């Protein structure tokens, strides 16, 4: 299953406008403007002007929030998105309720307090983002993320991503879970991508632990004895 | 990963000589000669003449045994192979130690007594064999079977097959098992194919239970964020 581009010329558009470049522009712009987000429960709110609105949209970070304000556009960033801009791209500062900028450690502890498996999810998120995959929440497909080759306006998401941690016993525990998930992914033309995050004994005390984590990726796909023989004659395929 | 043919023209040879046809010829020949195998521990011994020696070899059933007899060639069939010729192709009778022909039920009970998971293994074996996949033991790769698109003299095995039963807790239990198996398969250029046999509540009292079993197949492959983007530029792939 290759990428499903949205309409003719979408692949050429994507090729001419690499995601790495867009994210790079966003990074410079946020850095220049000393962008400041603020914690708000399980998300981070960020107010930006027109240029950055466009860059955030093109780079596919957060979702715009409609407000009455005319000169500012508010974006709601997910925990992983916000931490990626802060910790990996270092182009965003985030303030807490006390209006003081949180350092990396405080932010990490806050994220963890809001989401138990944040360290694993963030490792998975940043692992793919750094390789220019665009990630969006996968909730509507019952998975953790969906991954796009480029902006969702140009291409459908190719992968339904599930993040598994060491000792994770809640999901994909029995084969029925696998088949259920694979079938669901198949019905929406996505490939199931499992990212298994191994902390390698490094816990999650501070963000620098992330460097010691490793990620193993595998795809799981339905297989059919007939379809895998389409190089042969119909009778050889058992189709009679 | 497509089929890896052994040398030039091997794929054309395979196409011109479909496995379904070869098995069909073997079936007729064994039927005509009232072929009779005999149980011998965890295998079935079968003595055949030249024509059938060639057909068994081409259809890839059993392995020849070297004996001093000049006019007969002995073949040692695995439990699944023997039962497939008996029960599915109905071209082989098998006698026990008492020299009486065993009926399907007795044979089934014997096979089960020799191999606990015989019902699941046989379902998996026959499921693929019926679709013209050639199966050989996978012991040397730490899996249950290896599957070939055609005769092993023409093509390398494509799949390393693992058979999982309901409630199977011994194998592929944790992700480390998966990664270990996937890496091993990758190093010998095979794709891991997991066949999950579901008895659908039908037990394994007699061979007719097999008809109620279902098989779910999936392939599991390593995935790399870079290699999956080879349609893009090197920098977009994160390769710098």
């Amino acid at each position: 299953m290759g990428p499903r581009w949205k309409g003719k010329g979408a692949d050429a558009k994507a090729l001419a406008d690499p995601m790495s470049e867009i994210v790079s522009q966003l990074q410079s712009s946020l850095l220049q403007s000393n962008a400041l987000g603020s914690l708000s429960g399980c998300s981070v709110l960020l107010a930006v002007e027109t240029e950055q609105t466009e860059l955030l949209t093109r780079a596919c970070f957060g979702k715009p929030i409609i407000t009455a304000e005319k000169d500012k556009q508010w974006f709601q960033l997910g925990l992983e998105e916000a931490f990626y801009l802060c910790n990996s791209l270092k182009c965003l500062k985030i303030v807490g309720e006390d209006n003081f900028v949180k350092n990396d450690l405080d932010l990490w502890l806050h994220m963890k307090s809001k989401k138990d498996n944040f360290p694993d999810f963030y490792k998975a998120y940043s692992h793919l983002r750094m390789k220019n995959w665009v990630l969006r929440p996968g909730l509507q497909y019952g998975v953790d993320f969906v991954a796009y080759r480029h902006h969702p306006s140009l291409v459908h998401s190719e992968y339904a991503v599930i993040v598994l941690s060491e000792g994770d016993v809640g999901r994909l525990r029995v084969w029925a879970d696998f088949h259920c998930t694979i079938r669901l992914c198949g019905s929406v033309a996505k490939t199931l991508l499992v990212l298994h995050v191994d902390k390698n004994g490094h816990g999650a005390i501070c963000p620098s632990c992330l460097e010691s984590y490793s990620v193993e990726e595998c795809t799981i796909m339905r297989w059919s004895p007939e379809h895998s023989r389409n190089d042969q004659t119909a009778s050889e395929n058992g189709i009679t």
Side-chain angles (χ1 to χ4, degrees), chain A:
Chain A
M1 200 145 46
R4 294 185 305 129
W5 296 100
K6 290 185 175 170
K8 219 174 153 180
D11 52 341
K13 260 190 217 169
L15 201 61
D17 189 26
M19 187 51 67
S20 53
E21 196 51 48
I22 300 172
V23 172
S24 213
Q25 285 171 31
L26 171 67
Q27 183 183 24
S28 308
S29 175
L30 291 175
L31 255 178
Q32 251 179 359
S33 67
N34 288 313
L36 201 64
S38 53
L39 284 175
S40 166
C42 279
S43 52
V44 168
L45 296 178
L46 175 66
V48 293
E49 318 226 335
T50 317
E51 186 203 309
Q52 288 175 350
T53 297
E54 198 210 323
L55 282 171
L56 280 167
T57 306
R58 285 173 60 211
C60 218
F61 277 93
K63 59 176 184 185
I65 302 172
I66 296 160
T67 62
E69 291 185 66
K70 280 191 181 150
D71 52 341
K72 272 186 181 174
Q73 171 64 55
W74 287 86
F75 273 81
Q76 184 178 22
L77 300 167
L79 296 182
E80 291 85 8
E81 291 175 322
F83 201 74
Y84 189 73
L85 294 174
C86 260
N87 187 265
S88 287
L89 302 187
K90 307 207 180 298
C91 59
L92 179 70
K93 300 278 178 209
I94 295 177
V95 298
E97 284 176 10
D98 54 6
N99 260 335
F100 280 105
V101 171
K102 286 200 173 294
N103 63 26
D104 276 3
L105 179 59
D106 284 346
L107 200 58
W108 174 256
L109 295 175
H110 175 86
M111 302 300 194
K112 273 178 42 178
S113 76
K114 292 291 173 192
K115 192 170 176 176
D116 275 348
N117 46 16
F118 177 78
D120 302 275
F121 269 57
Y122 180 69
K123 182 68 189 183
Y125 179 90
S126 58
H127 180 75
L128 292 181
R129 260 288 181 184
M130 274 191 276
K131 303 290 168 59
N132 299 307
W133 288 91
V134 170
L135 278 98
R136 302 298 283 167
L139 197 61
Q140 60 181 317
Y141 301 109
V143 295
D144 299 325
F145 298 108
V146 284
Y148 299 81
R149 187 170 292 265
H150 204 277
H151 194 276
S153 64
L154 293 179
V155 68
H156 290 276
S157 61
E158 262 164 88
Y159 296 99
V161 183
I162 283 189
V163 182
L164 290 183
S165 319
E166 290 159 271
D168 205 329
V169 289
R171 289 179 317 162
L172 300 187
R173 200 174 41 85
V174 293
W175 278 91
D177 299 343
F178 273 93
H179 295 303
C180 176
T181 311
I182 297 168
R183 276 176 185 261
L184 191 143
C185 292
S187 71
V188 289
K190 304 190 193 322
T191 298
L192 175 62
L193 173 62
V194 176
L195 296 192
H196 180 244
V197 179
D198 193 332
K199 292 202 180 69
N200 295 312
H202 279 83
I205 300 169
C206 60
S208 66
C209 292
L210 286 165
E211 289 159 31
S212 309
Y213 294 4
S214 58
V215 181
E216 292 264 7
E217 306 109 329
C218 64
T219 56
I220 308 184
M221 274 175 276
R222 288 185 75 189
W223 183 83
S224 131
E226 295 93 356
H227 291 162
S228 304
R229 295 183 66 90
N230 54 7
D231 55 331
Q232 305 270 318
T233 61
S235 73
E236 185 71 353
N237 287 341
I239 304 161
T240 47

